[in-house]
Amino acid sequence: MIVLGIETSTEVCAVGLANDDGAYAERALVESHIHSEKLLTLIAEMLGQQHATLSALDAIAVSIGPGSFTGLRIGLSTAKGLCIALEKPLVIVPTLEAMAMAAFADHQDVKRVYVCLDAKQGDCYAGGYERAEKKVVEYLPLSMIKKASADELLNQKNALMITDRKDIQHIRPNAVHYAKGSSIAWSGIMRAHKKIFSDITSVEPMYLKDFVVKTQPVR
């Protein structure tokens, strides 16, 4: 089985490939507001490097959130379009869970990972995960919390803390480094083997908070 993974929930635009032996390819750019322009290009470049074709894919996996509203929409709409065109199933992967999986891969001695992403306006997306054989499981449920509460959790001694918050990035591993298309692809492999697919017509990004439109004051 071969699965394409798409990760666009942060400023990272990443794609990856995985098969039954694990993740084996990755292409990524770290730049804001380039997802719609570069995502399909990255997919084409990666497949070309691997001498693979879209028709060889067995499923498409995509990071479903929480994260950037615009990034999540672009990633999911691209995944849906590919699934429809190729007649392949869609697999959705929780963003923070995939980041934790990537962190576990880089830190073999770590048993627990706590992920905290900046949700703006004083909020954070947060979740705690622990290693369990070839998968990760939640020990702190995914939720949206205030930064003050996140600060308390970030001081846990029994877990590796990763975050994209600019105010504490200098003392914590940057979660953006773990936003990987290959992690999405590998998680997609495990879900695809269990036939955990999503309905292409109805699935939506997992935002966790409402979108707020910023308007300029009338003068």
Side-chain angles (χ1 to χ4, degrees), residues 27-93:
R27 287 281 290 167
L29 292 172
V30 184
E31 186 178 345
S32 300
H33 312 300
I34 51 87
H35 299 68
S36 60
E37 178 185 353
K38 297 295 185 180
L39 181 54
L40 288 173
T41 300
L42 288 178
I43 292 172
E45 290 176 352
M46 180 180 65
L47 290 173
Q49 290 173 345
Q50 298 298 319
H51 305 290
T53 63
L54 287 170
S55 60
L57 301 174
D58 294 290
I60 313 294
V62 63
S63 178
I64 199 64
S68 161
F69 285 76
T70 301
L72 291 173
R73 287 197 299 271
I74 292 169
L76 182 57
S77 62
T78 300
K80 284 184 175 183
L82 289 172
C83 287
I84 292 170
L86 300 169
E87 298 183 336
K88 306 294 184 180
L90 174 68
V91 181
I92 61 171
V93 178

XYZ file of all heavy atoms in Angstrom, residues 27-93:
488
model
N 8.684 16.293 0.994
C 9.019 17.571 0.364
C 8.289 18.641 1.158
O 7.104 18.501 1.478
C 8.572 17.609 -1.095
C 9.410 16.770 -2.025
C 10.713 17.464 -2.407
N 10.476 18.604 -3.282
C 11.396 19.532 -3.564
N 12.584 19.459 -3.005
N 11.111 20.526 -4.376
N 8.976 19.743 1.468
C 8.349 20.761 2.302
C 8.926 22.138 2.023
O 10.100 22.285 1.659
C 8.518 20.415 3.781
N 8.087 23.145 2.226
C 8.484 24.550 2.194
C 7.942 25.197 3.459
O 6.834 24.885 3.894
C 7.909 25.252 0.968
C 8.446 24.828 -0.403
C 7.627 25.499 -1.505
C 9.922 25.205 -0.545
N 8.729 26.101 4.046
C 8.272 26.823 5.230
C 8.147 28.287 4.865
O 9.119 29.039 4.851
C 9.245 26.649 6.412
C 8.690 27.341 7.656
C 9.497 25.181 6.692
N 6.917 28.681 4.542
C 6.649 30.054 4.134
C 5.150 30.281 4.193
O 4.370 29.440 3.730
C 7.172 30.307 2.717
C 7.061 31.744 2.271
C 7.627 31.963 0.871
O 8.342 31.077 0.364
O 7.326 33.002 0.288
N 4.751 31.402 4.760
C 3.324 31.690 4.887
C 2.699 32.027 3.532
O 3.362 32.586 2.651
C 3.111 32.866 5.849
O 3.619 32.572 7.131
N 1.452 31.653 3.389
C 0.623 32.049 2.245
C 1.114 31.501 0.900
O 0.919 32.144 -0.138
C 0.505 33.579 2.167
C 0.156 34.238 3.465
N -1.011 33.956 4.150
C 0.824 35.150 4.212
C -1.046 34.674 5.265
N 0.049 35.402 5.332
N 1.739 30.338 0.893
C 2.178 29.763 -0.389
C 1.533 28.407 -0.645
O 1.791 27.779 -1.657
C 3.720 29.631 -0.450
C 4.297 28.916 0.786
C 4.369 30.984 -0.583
C 4.343 27.444 0.696
N 0.665 27.964 0.265
C 0.101 26.616 0.156
C -0.668 26.409 -1.148
O -0.501 25.390 -1.817
C -0.813 26.336 1.345
C -0.107 26.386 2.664
N 0.401 27.537 3.197
C 0.176 25.401 3.561
C 0.965 27.275 4.363
N 0.841 25.993 4.613
N -1.525 27.371 -1.493
C -2.343 27.199 -2.700
C -1.493 27.196 -3.960
O -1.836 26.549 -4.955
C -3.394 28.316 -2.784
O -2.765 29.587 -2.841
N -0.369 27.898 -3.923
C 0.502 28.001 -5.089
C 1.445 26.813 -5.225
O 1.741 26.362 -6.335
C 1.311 29.298 -5.003
C 2.297 29.495 -6.135
C 3.166 30.722 -5.944
O 2.918 31.488 -4.991
O 4.113 30.894 -6.743
N 1.936 26.277 -4.093
C 3.025 25.322 -4.136
C 2.640 23.874 -3.855
O 3.428 22.965 -4.125
C 4.100 25.735 -3.119
C 4.754 27.080 -3.410
C 5.543 27.054 -4.706
C 6.294 28.357 -4.919
N 7.081 28.349 -6.183
N 1.450 23.627 -3.288
C 1.121 22.282 -2.837
C 1.170 21.251 -3.969
O 1.829 20.212 -3.857
C -0.250 22.270 -2.165
C -0.729 20.918 -1.620
C 0.294 20.308 -0.678
C -2.081 21.087 -0.917
N 0.489 21.506 -5.052
C 0.478 20.548 -6.163
C 1.862 20.397 -6.793
O 2.231 19.304 -7.245
C -0.549 20.966 -7.207
C -2.016 20.787 -6.803
C -2.943 21.388 -7.848
C -2.340 19.314 -6.593
N 2.627 21.493 -6.798
C 3.994 21.425 -7.327
C 4.857 20.498 -6.479
O 5.623 19.677 -7.010
C 4.631 22.825 -7.352
O 3.854 23.682 -8.197
C 6.058 22.771 -7.880
N 4.732 20.603 -5.153
C 5.501 19.732 -4.263
C 5.130 18.260 -4.479
O 5.998 17.382 -4.470
C 5.263 20.114 -2.807
C 5.894 21.416 -2.317
C 5.515 21.658 -0.856
C 7.403 21.383 -2.474
N 3.834 18.000 -4.648
C 3.390 16.620 -4.885
C 4.016 16.082 -6.171
O 4.552 14.961 -6.200
C 1.853 16.553 -4.959
C 1.241 16.865 -3.590
C 1.404 15.162 -5.443
C -0.272 17.005 -3.617
N 3.957 16.892 -7.243
C 4.504 16.451 -8.531
C 6.010 16.226 -8.434
O 6.538 15.239 -8.969
C 4.191 17.494 -9.602
N 6.723 17.127 -7.737
C 8.175 16.987 -7.600
C 8.541 15.733 -6.808
O 9.466 15.003 -7.169
C 8.750 18.223 -6.918
C 8.721 19.474 -7.784
C 9.207 20.707 -7.032
O 9.418 20.626 -5.804
O 9.373 21.754 -7.688
N 7.817 15.494 -5.730
C 8.116 14.332 -4.896
C 7.859 13.029 -5.650
O 8.684 12.097 -5.629
C 7.288 14.369 -3.610
C 7.552 13.196 -2.682
S 6.551 13.291 -1.174
C 4.894 13.127 -1.877
N 6.729 12.953 -6.331
C 6.426 11.745 -7.095
C 7.457 11.526 -8.194
O 7.871 10.391 -8.455
C 5.025 11.853 -7.701
C 3.851 11.774 -6.711
C 2.533 12.057 -7.418
C 3.798 10.417 -6.030
N 7.891 12.624 -8.828
C 8.909 12.510 -9.867
C 10.224 11.980 -9.322
O 10.866 11.124 -9.946
N 10.615 12.464 -8.152
C 11.855 11.993 -7.523
C 11.784 10.514 -7.176
O 12.796 9.814 -7.195
C 12.138 12.805 -6.265
C 12.546 14.243 -6.530
C 12.661 15.057 -5.257
O 12.191 14.652 -4.194
N 13.273 16.220 -5.354
N 10.586 10.046 -6.845
C 10.409 8.641 -6.464
C 10.023 7.761 -7.652
O 9.752 6.570 -7.481
C 9.328 8.535 -5.374
C 9.681 9.254 -4.094
C 10.915 8.692 -3.432
O 11.109 7.471 -3.384
N 11.772 9.567 -2.911
N 9.986 8.366 -8.838
C 9.587 7.638 -10.058
C 8.230 6.955 -9.841
O 8.025 5.796 -10.222
C 10.649 6.609 -10.448
C 12.015 7.203 -10.618
N 12.346 8.036 -11.667
C 13.133 7.103 -9.842
C 13.607 8.406 -11.544
N 14.120 7.858 -10.455
N 7.329 7.707 -9.208
C 5.989 7.191 -8.921
C 4.948 8.039 -9.645
O 5.235 9.138 -10.128
C 5.729 7.219 -7.416
N 3.733 7.531 -9.700
C 2.636 8.250 -10.339
C 1.452 8.336 -9.388
O 1.341 7.554 -8.435
C 2.190 7.537 -11.630
O 1.693 6.233 -11.288
C 3.341 7.412 -12.617
N 0.570 9.269 -9.653
C -0.630 9.406 -8.830
C -1.475 8.135 -8.866
O -2.094 7.760 -7.872
C -1.462 10.600 -9.305
C -0.917 11.994 -8.974
C -1.716 13.055 -9.715
C -0.964 12.250 -7.472
N -1.490 7.471 -10.000
C -2.313 6.262 -10.138
C -1.817 5.130 -9.249
O -2.563 4.197 -8.953
C -2.352 5.804 -11.598
O -1.040 5.516 -12.060
N -0.561 5.207 -8.801
C -0.005 4.158 -7.938
C -0.453 4.304 -6.490
O -0.265 3.384 -5.692
C 1.519 4.186 -8.008
N -1.043 5.439 -6.143
C -1.470 5.675 -4.770
C -2.693 4.829 -4.425
O -3.573 4.619 -5.261
C -1.802 7.159 -4.563
C -0.670 8.157 -4.824
C -1.200 9.587 -4.726
C 0.476 7.930 -3.845
N -2.751 4.396 -3.179
C -3.907 3.637 -2.708
C -4.870 4.494 -1.894
O -6.037 4.132 -1.737
C -3.441 2.456 -1.848
C -2.664 1.440 -2.665
O -3.279 0.757 -3.500
O -1.432 1.337 -2.477
N -4.378 5.627 -1.375
C -5.229 6.530 -0.601
C -4.518 7.871 -0.462
O -3.305 7.977 -0.663
C -5.532 5.956 0.780
N -5.295 8.895 -0.112
C -4.774 10.229 0.158
C -5.074 10.547 1.612
O -6.229 10.448 2.049
C -5.427 11.300 -0.735
C -5.458 10.871 -2.202
C -4.715 12.645 -0.548
C -4.116 10.735 -2.856
N -4.044 10.937 2.365
C -4.223 11.325 3.766
C -3.947 12.811 3.913
O -3.043 13.354 3.270
C -3.288 10.524 4.672
N -4.707 13.475 4.777
C -4.551 14.919 4.945
C -4.673 15.295 6.415
O -5.448 14.710 7.163
C -5.598 15.690 4.097
C -7.016 15.385 4.554
C -5.334 17.187 4.115
N -3.862 16.269 6.813
C -3.931 16.829 8.167
C -5.236 17.610 8.290
O -5.496 18.538 7.529
C -2.724 17.751 8.384
O -2.754 18.347 9.652
N -6.072 17.244 9.269
C -7.435 17.770 9.341
C -7.589 18.920 10.341
O -8.625 19.565 10.402
C -8.432 16.631 9.668
C -9.870 17.021 9.302
C -8.307 16.197 11.120
C -10.102 17.259 7.837
N -6.554 19.170 11.153
C -6.639 20.260 12.115
C -6.513 19.758 13.543
O -6.396 18.552 13.777
N -6.523 20.725 14.463
C -6.711 22.164 14.264
C -5.450 22.832 13.721
O -4.381 22.256 13.726
C -7.037 22.661 15.668
C -6.286 21.719 16.564
C -6.366 20.377 15.897
N -5.628 24.086 13.277
C -4.516 24.830 12.720
C -5.010 26.029 11.953
O -6.101 26.554 12.216
N -4.220 26.464 10.988
C -4.564 27.615 10.160
C -5.851 27.361 9.380
O -5.973 26.353 8.684
C -3.419 27.894 9.181
O -3.838 28.676 8.099
N -6.801 28.274 9.488
C -8.064 28.112 8.771
C -7.826 27.978 7.269
O -8.338 27.068 6.612
C -8.981 29.310 9.041
C -9.624 29.306 10.396
C -8.898 29.637 11.531
C -10.955 28.965 10.547
C -9.482 29.624 12.783
C -11.556 28.950 11.791
C -10.819 29.278 12.916
N -7.040 28.902 6.711
C -6.800 28.893 5.269
C -6.006 27.662 4.855
O -6.340 26.995 3.872
C -6.042 30.165 4.850
O -6.814 31.321 5.212
C -5.809 30.182 3.343
N -4.945 27.350 5.605
C -4.127 26.194 5.273
C -4.906 24.901 5.285
O -4.769 24.070 4.380
N -5.751 24.717 6.301
C -6.548 23.492 6.388
C -7.515 23.371 5.216
O -7.703 22.283 4.661
C -7.321 23.460 7.707
C -6.477 23.276 8.975
C -7.350 23.434 10.213
C -5.788 21.917 8.981
N -8.127 24.483 4.830
C -9.060 24.437 3.694
C -8.344 24.052 2.408
O -8.858 23.264 1.607
C -9.761 25.792 3.533
C -10.798 26.095 4.594
C -11.730 27.216 4.153
N -11.006 28.456 3.911
C -10.755 29.385 4.839
N -11.154 29.190 6.075
N -10.114 30.492 4.524
N -7.163 24.618 2.205
C -6.403 24.317 0.989
C -5.985 22.845 0.968
O -6.127 22.162 -0.053
C -5.161 25.230 0.894
C -5.590 26.681 0.655
C -4.230 24.756 -0.227
C -4.475 27.687 0.799
N -5.476 22.360 2.080
C -5.043 20.969 2.131
C -6.184 19.997 1.901
O -6.057 19.040 1.119
N -7.308 20.232 2.570
C -8.441 19.313 2.440
C -9.054 19.380 1.054
O -9.398 18.343 0.474
C -9.495 19.618 3.504
C -10.712 18.691 3.511
C -10.291 17.232 3.688
C -11.692 19.094 4.615
N -9.197 20.576 0.493
C -9.792 20.684 -0.843
C -8.899 20.016 -1.889
O -9.403 19.374 -2.827
C -10.040 22.147 -1.203
O -8.833 22.885 -1.246
N -7.584 20.133 -1.722
C -6.663 19.464 -2.647
C -6.775 17.947 -2.513
O -6.830 17.225 -3.517
C -5.217 19.904 -2.375
O -5.105 21.319 -2.542
C -4.251 19.204 -3.324
N -6.823 17.465 -1.277
C -6.953 16.022 -1.050
C -8.260 15.493 -1.620
O -8.291 14.436 -2.267
C -6.875 15.729 0.445
N -9.343 16.233 -1.400
C -10.640 15.815 -1.949
C -10.594 15.750 -3.470
O -11.090 14.788 -4.087
C -11.731 16.795 -1.512
C -12.182 16.655 -0.075
C -13.329 17.630 0.193
C -13.908 17.465 1.585
N -15.067 18.375 1.806
N -10.007 16.783 -4.081
C -9.932 16.807 -5.541
C -9.160 15.625 -6.095
O -9.572 15.000 -7.083
N -8.055 15.288 -5.448
C -7.263 14.139 -5.894
C -8.034 12.841 -5.710
O -8.001 11.955 -6.576
C -5.945 14.086 -5.112
C -4.908 15.163 -5.439
C -3.747 15.106 -4.457
C -4.399 15.007 -6.873
N -8.719 12.712 -4.588
C -9.491 11.488 -4.332
C -10.581 11.294 -5.378
O -10.802 10.175 -5.863
C -10.109 11.539 -2.938
S -8.931 11.319 -1.596
N -11.248 12.376 -5.715
C -12.327 12.294 -6.716
C -11.753 11.950 -8.091
O -12.264 11.070 -8.798
C -13.114 13.608 -6.764
C -13.887 13.800 -5.452
C -14.067 13.629 -7.955
C -14.512 15.166 -5.298
N -10.673 12.652 -8.472
C -10.082 12.431 -9.792
C -9.498 11.035 -9.941
O -9.594 10.415 -11.007
C -9.001 13.476 -10.053
N -8.890 10.528 -8.856
C -8.208 9.234 -8.906
C -9.081 8.077 -8.434
O -8.669 6.923 -8.520
C -6.946 9.280 -8.038
C -5.890 10.323 -8.425
C -4.829 10.432 -7.334
C -5.256 9.959 -9.759
N -10.264 8.407 -7.888
C -11.167 7.415 -7.314
C -10.467 6.632 -6.192
O -10.484 5.405 -6.148
C -11.700 6.467 -8.392
C -12.523 7.183 -9.457
C -13.112 6.224 -10.489
O -12.556 5.122 -10.663
O -14.136 6.580 -11.101
N -9.846 7.397 -5.290
C -9.147 6.828 -4.140
C -9.820 7.282 -2.851
O -10.451 8.332 -2.798
C -7.675 7.282 -4.120
C -6.904 7.007 -5.397
C -6.723 5.516 -5.649
C -5.859 5.285 -6.888
N -5.663 3.844 -7.176
N -9.690 6.507 -1.778
C -10.304 6.893 -0.510
C -9.523 8.014 0.193
O -8.321 8.192 -0.016
C -10.259 5.602 0.318
C -9.120 4.838 -0.253
C -9.085 5.161 -1.720
N -10.245 8.750 1.037
C -9.671 9.852 1.802
C -9.492 9.445 3.256
O -10.395 8.888 3.880
C -10.592 11.074 1.727
C -10.208 12.277 2.588
C -8.923 12.914 2.059
C -11.341 13.304 2.613
N -8.308 9.741 3.807
C -8.014 9.477 5.210
C -7.709 10.811 5.887
O -6.883 11.582 5.395
C -6.803 8.547 5.375
C -6.547 8.266 6.848
C -7.003 7.246 4.611
N -8.373 11.101 7.004
C -8.074 12.325 7.734
C -7.252 11.985 8.976
O -7.484 10.966 9.623
C -9.348 13.102 8.107
C -10.258 12.280 9.011
C -10.084 13.546 6.852
C -11.431 13.076 9.585
N -6.284 12.863 9.285
C -5.361 12.626 10.397
C -5.346 13.851 11.306
O -5.111 14.963 10.827
C -3.936 12.358 9.882
C -2.979 12.152 11.045
C -3.922 11.156 8.941
